[in-house]
Amino acid sequence: MNSRAREALRRGRRDLHREMAVPAFYIAVPGAEPLDCTVRVSDVPGANGRPGGRDSGYAQQADAKQSVIFHTDDAPEFIRVHAIISIGEGEAYRIGVVHPAHGDTVTADVARLPADEAADLPAPGEL
């Protein structure tokens, strides 16, 4: 890919993040000072079972894979497994797997916290 195409992709990802991202707090460990950041929350449907196989019958189930996407301009210096991303009152995610940076973005697989666990966390706009 030539450098003009790469630069166009980089600008496109930055613009997408700017338009679709929401304010969030990154909490590295319990009790740590929340760090301001922005993230895009993604629920990508997938399948488990035997994807791509000739038998796509009852053995396959739809799976929702949740992830948060950070833009490197706005991401915490280190994104840790088990850290918390607090989006709003009662909405927070625990980071599972952190994928290597892809251009200007870093994606982390997450699990949504139950509402009672998320209720006591600080949320953007509350502090």
Side-chain angles (χ1 to χ4, degrees):
M1 184 181 309
N2 68 36
S3 62
R4 281 188 9 210
R6 283 192 173 137
E7 183 56 33
L9 281 172
R10 189 172 296 124
R11 277 193 318 270
R13 286 189 184 112
R14 184 186 60 233
D15 292 346
L16 173 67
H17 191 80
R18 187 181 311 129
E19 293 297 320
M20 302 293 292
V22 296
F25 280 150
Y26 173 85
I27 305 166
V29 295
E33 184 72 26
L35 301 176
D36 288 319
C37 64
T38 60
V39 296
R40 288 183 283 140
V41 179
S42 177
D43 293 332
V44 178
N48 61 27
R50 238 180 112 187
R54 291 175 36 190
D55 177 8
S56 59
Y58 66 90
Q60 282 193 345
Q61 295 179 327
D63 237 353
K65 178 182 174 186
Q66 293 185 310
S67 59
V68 294
I69 302 161
F70 298 87
H71 194 276
T72 55
D73 289 345
D74 185 41
E77 187 175 340
F78 297 101
I79 301 170
R80 301 169 52 119
V81 172
H82 303 298
I84 301 291
I85 302 298
S86 178
I87 305 292
E89 188 177 328
E91 182 180 3
Y93 302 87
R94 183 177 315 279
I95 294 177
V97 175
V98 180
H99 298 277
H102 178 71
D104 293 339
T105 60
V106 176
T107 301
D109 295 343
V110 296
R112 187 166 181 162
L113 292 179
D116 61 328
E117 287 184 44
D120 295 331
L121 294 171
E126 291 181 359
L127 295 181

